[in-house]
Amino acid sequence: PGLGVGFAESILFQVRDLLIAVAGGAPMTPDFYDGWRALAVTESVLAAADRGWVTVPPAPARVA
């Protein structure tokens, strides 16, 4: 009591979840698809800062 989960512990939890997913356990979330979408939004925001309004490209279907 009194001490929460810190940065180091949160990294350990992420590594644990990654190893479980690699070993065939439950898939991780967020995954690479989520990261790709976040990058598309970020690139659109940066482009909008230079040129004005832009449209975020539509997401392709998620492949299982």
Side-chain angles (χ1 to χ4, degrees):
L3 295 175
V5 174
F7 178 76
E9 293 85 5
S10 67
I11 297 299
L12 290 174
F13 292 143
Q14 291 176 30
V15 170
R16 180 201 62 193
D17 292 346
L18 173 65
L19 293 175
I20 290 170
V22 168
M28 285 190 67
T29 183
D31 59 11
F32 287 107
Y33 181 85
D34 297 327
W36 178 82
R37 287 302 300 150
L39 180 61
V41 170
T42 302
E43 288 178 340
S44 296
V45 168
L46 293 173
D50 288 338
R51 301 190 311 258
W53 186 267
V54 298
T55 301
V56 178
R62 184 183 287 262
V63 178

